[in-house]
């Protein structure tokens, strides 16, 4: 056989083995939307729609993971029968347990230190915006100070009227597939997230509602610090989930 024949047979065999699997995901009460459906073998993923339906490409023996931060994760090893039916997956709500808070380690409130910090903040504010603390220097007022006052007023109003946009799981997927700093190697080797749990970790980070300003290059160290903190919390969450699953 020539090279063209081998390439044709490879493509043909792949098209036969890779097929679409359809399904519907429920929770205890109704269908579940925005549930992550991840093919851990091919790294493909999708999410359920408003009616809980999903379609994803897979082959026999692929492993599918169904996960969301609010449900216990489930896995499915693909068999031939799964291509012939609409697969029904039922997810159980994840019950999060909080550890005991040790109040003896909580720092005590120091009124003197608080007053000193407040006085320093007021002094710095007076230095930076003196027009807010003193009358204009002449009866007619200082036009420059008046303009600065209205700039601050409208800037403050604009900031209040514009709600922050949170980082979603889709943003995390895009970031870790295009950025030279935020990579799979960082997740696995530095944050100690198992490869199979990366989709679930992104879901977990989604629930934290970080401001999308952190996606800017100048804020990458702040974002990294947040991810380090989340990875520690997430590993405790996974350990607790595994403990519950083993117990059940």
């Amino acid at each position: 056989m020539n090279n063209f024949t081998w390439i044709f047979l490879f493509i043909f065999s792949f098209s036969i083995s890779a097929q679409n699997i359809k399904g519907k995901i429920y929770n205890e009460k109704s269908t579940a939307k925005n549930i992550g459906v991840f093919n851990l073998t091919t790294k493909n993923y999708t999410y359920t729609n408003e009616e809980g339906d999903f379609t994803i490409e897979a082959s026999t023996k692929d492993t599918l993971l169904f996960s969301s931060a609010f449900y216990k994760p489930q896995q499915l090893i693909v068999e031939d029968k799964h291509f012939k039916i609409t697969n029904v997956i039922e997810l159980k709500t994840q019950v999060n347990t909080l550890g005991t808070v040790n109040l003896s380690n909580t720092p005590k409130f120091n009124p003197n230190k608080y007053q000193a910090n407040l006085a320093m903040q007021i002094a710095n504010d007076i230095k930076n915006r003196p027009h807010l603390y003193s009358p204009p220097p002449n009866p007619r007022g200082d036009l420059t100070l008046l303009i600065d006052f209205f700039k601050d007023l409208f800037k403050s109003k604009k900031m209040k009227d514009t709600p922050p946009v949170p980082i979603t799981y889709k943003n995390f997927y895009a970031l870790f597939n295009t950025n030279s700093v935020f990579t799979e190697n960082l997740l696995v080797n530095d944050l100690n997230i198992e490869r199979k749990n990366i989709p679930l970790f992104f879901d977990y980070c989604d629930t934290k509602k970080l401001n999308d300003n952190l996606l800017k290059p100048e804020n990458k160290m702040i974002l990294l610090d947040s991810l380090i903190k989340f990875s520690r919390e997430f590993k405790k969450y996974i350990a607790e989930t595994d403990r519950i699953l083993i117990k059940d």
Side-chain angles (χ1 to χ4, degrees):
M1 292 186 184
N2 56 33
N3 292 336
F4 177 80
T5 304
W6 279 111
I7 294 173
F8 175 79
L9 289 176
F10 174 78
I11 295 175
F12 180 74
S13 62
F14 180 80
S15 64
I16 293 177
S17 60
Q19 304 176 60
N20 285 335
I21 285 184
K22 296 182 179 181
K24 183 180 286 287
I25 296 181
Y26 290 85
N27 55 30
E28 290 91 336
K29 298 180 179 179
S30 62
T31 56
K33 63 180 180 180
N34 296 328
I35 302 298
V37 182
F38 307 95
N39 188 325
L40 300 181
T41 306
T42 64
K43 308 302 182 184
N44 292 332
Y45 63 91
T46 186
Y47 291 85
T48 57
N49 61 17
E50 294 291 327
E51 288 74 38
D53 299 315
F54 71 89
T55 300
I56 190 168
E57 190 176 87
S59 301
T60 305
K61 297 183 180 180
D62 282 0
T63 300
L64 301 185
L65 171 68
F66 307 94
S67 72
S68 173
F70 304 105
Y71 300 95
K72 294 180 181 180
Q74 286 196 39
Q75 291 189 4
L76 174 69
I77 305 300
V78 178
E79 300 177 13
D80 289 335
K81 64 181 181 180
H82 295 129
F83 297 106
K84 303 173 183 179
I85 61 175
T86 297
N87 299 275
V88 177
I89 309 297
E90 182 178 356
L91 297 182
K92 295 182 179 180
T93 303
Q94 173 65 50
V95 179
N96 294 322
T97 57
L98 299 177
T100 303
V101 178
N102 188 352
L103 296 179
S104 62
N105 294 328
T106 304
K108 295 182 179 180
F109 176 71
N110 188 327
N112 294 329
K113 185 176 180 179
Y114 174 80
Q115 291 292 340
N117 290 336
L118 180 60
M120 184 178 296
Q121 291 176 16
I122 293 175
N124 289 333
D125 198 43
I126 291 174
K127 180 179 178 181
N128 295 327
R129 301 189 300 174
H131 56 279
L132 299 180
Y133 296 87
S134 59
N138 58 67
R140 294 185 177 181
D142 190 314
L143 184 59
T144 303
L145 293 179
L146 187 61
I147 292 174
D148 289 341
F149 171 77
F150 280 109
K151 281 184 178 179
D152 284 344
L153 180 63
F154 287 120
K155 182 179 179 181
S156 175
K157 186 177 186 301
K158 184 177 180 181
M159 291 177 63
K160 291 180 180 179
D161 292 343
T162 306
V165 178
I167 303 177
T168 68
Y169 56 83
K170 293 182 180 179
N171 297 138
F172 284 114
Y173 274 109
L175 177 68
F176 278 87
N177 278 286
T178 59
N179 195 278
S180 59
V181 175
F182 297 95
T183 62
E184 183 176 303
N185 184 62
L186 176 91
L187 287 168
V188 175
N189 297 326
D190 297 313
L191 300 184
N192 296 318
I193 303 297
E194 295 184 39
R195 280 186 172 85
K196 66 178 183 179
N197 290 331
I198 289 177
L200 190 59
F201 178 62
F202 288 159
D203 268 355
Y204 182 83
C205 293
D206 185 322
T207 65
K208 298 299 182 178
K209 304 301 179 186
L210 290 176
N211 193 311
D212 71 345
N213 283 330
L214 295 182
L215 294 174
K216 295 179 179 179
E218 62 268 24
N219 293 328
K220 64 182 179 182
M221 296 310 297
I222 301 176
L223 177 58
L224 179 59
D225 183 66
S226 296
L227 291 177
I228 292 173
K229 177 184 175 183
F230 295 162
S231 68
R232 292 169 182 165
E233 298 173 353
F234 178 74
K235 283 182 286 186
K236 292 181 181 179
Y237 160 79
I238 289 296
E240 179 66 17
T241 299
D242 290 342
R243 186 187 67 79
I244 295 174
L245 290 175
I246 293 173
K247 184 179 178 180
D248 293 344

